[in-house]
Amino acid sequence: MPRITPARREANRAQIIAAARRCFARDGYHQTSMPDIAAEAGVAVGAPYRYFTGKDELILEIAGEAFRLIFDPIGRIVDAAESVTAADLVEAATAPVSGDEAVDGAGNAVPVDELLRCAVQSWAELLRNEGLRQRANAGFERVRGRVADALRAGRRAGTVPAELDPDRGSRVVMALLHGFVLQRTAFGLEDTVGFAHEVRLALGDAGVLKEDRRPDGE
C-alpha cells in the first residue's frame, strides 16, 4: 500500500477538523461522538483517531483557531505601532471575526459562527478539564501580557491615561473581547463595526475616531 503523502495527510486532517467544527457547532460538544465526526467527514469510524486522540484535542484545536484569529492581531498591532489605545486593541481583535468567514492558519476559509460557537463551548470544558484549563490559561496570560505592554507604551506616549494600571487595564480589554465573542455568538451582536465605534466612545477615544470607522456615515 503506498504511503500517504504529507499533502494528503494535511487535507485529511483539515477534513476531520471541519467535520468536528460543524458537529460541535450544530449539536454541541457532549452530544457529538467521534463516530458522529467520522460520519460527518465521510471517513471510516477509526480514521479521526489517526490524527487526534479524541474530542478534547479536536475542540482545543478548533477553539484555539478562533482565539488565534482574535488575539494574533493584537501582537501585530503592538509590534507595528509605538503607541496604541485600548480601543485600538479591541478593534484590531474583533475585525477578523466580524464577517461571515475568516481565514485560518492554513489558509482555509472557515465559518466564523462555527468557530465562535466552538470557542464558547470550550469555556465550559475548562471548568471540568484541568489540562485544558492550564493550556488555556497559559494562552490567556500570554495575550494579556502583550495587552499590558501595549497599555504601558500608550501611557508613555500619552494615548492611555497615566492613572490606568496596565495589568488591571489588560483584564478590562480581555473582558471586552471575551464579551464580544459571547454576544456575537449567543446574543445576536451583528453590528460589529458599530461595536468598535462605541468602544472608542466608551473608552474616551472619541478624539481619534476616523471617518471610515464611523457607522452609517456618522
Side-chain angles (χ1 to χ4, degrees):
M1 180 179 295
R3 294 182 61 184
I4 187 171
T5 66
R8 181 68 259 173
R9 180 177 177 80
E10 186 57 35
N12 291 346
R13 188 176 186 276
Q15 181 180 355
I16 291 165
I17 291 172
R21 189 175 61 239
R22 291 193 298 272
C23 287
F24 294 154
R26 182 182 63 235
D27 303 321
Y29 177 74
H30 290 288
Q31 286 69 42
T32 297
S33 67
M34 289 295 276
D36 291 334
I37 293 169
E40 181 77 19
V43 299
V45 172
Y49 288 104
R50 299 173 189 166
Y51 302 90
F52 301 96
T53 58
K55 288 196 300 179
D56 282 356
E57 188 176 355
L58 272 163
I59 200 166
L60 192 64
E61 173 82 18
I62 296 165
E65 188 60 52
F67 291 126
R68 278 192 294 274
L69 282 170
I70 295 169
F71 293 140
D72 279 2
I74 289 178
R76 290 195 292 270
I77 194 174
V78 170
D79 291 339
E82 294 183 359
S83 64
V84 296
T85 68
D88 288 332
L89 299 173
V90 173
E91 184 173 36
T94 56
V97 291
S98 294
D100 293 331
E101 287 191 337
V103 178
D104 66 13
N108 301 313
V110 294
V112 167
D113 183 61
E114 289 180 2
L115 274 176
L116 296 188
R117 287 174 69 91
C118 291
V120 170
Q121 290 185 62
S122 75
W123 286 335
E125 293 308 301
L126 303 184
L127 302 180
R128 56 172 291 276
N129 187 314
E130 182 61 19
L132 289 179
R133 191 194 69 79
Q134 289 181 3
R135 292 182 65 174
N137 187 65
F140 173 87
E141 286 299 326
R142 183 170 58 253
V143 175
R144 192 182 69 80
R146 296 303 305 276
V147 171
D149 289 343
L151 296 178
R152 290 188 186 93
R155 286 203 313 181
R156 292 192 295 270
T159 56
V160 170
E163 299 81 7
L164 183 140
D165 178 270
D167 289 313
R168 291 197 295 268
S170 67
R171 289 193 173 274
V172 173
V173 172
M174 296 298 282
L176 282 169
L177 296 177
H178 286 151
F180 168 84
V181 170
L182 186 58
Q183 289 196 47
R184 173 81 163 75
T185 304
F187 300 119
L189 174 61
E190 296 180 353
D191 182 10
T192 53
V193 174
F195 177 88
H197 175 268
E198 300 307 324
V199 164
R200 288 194 176 276
L201 293 176
L203 297 182
D205 280 0
V208 296
L209 279 168
K210 296 180 181 179
E211 289 302 320
D212 59 359
R213 286 173 173 163
R214 298 175 187 270
D216 301 324
E218 292 180 6

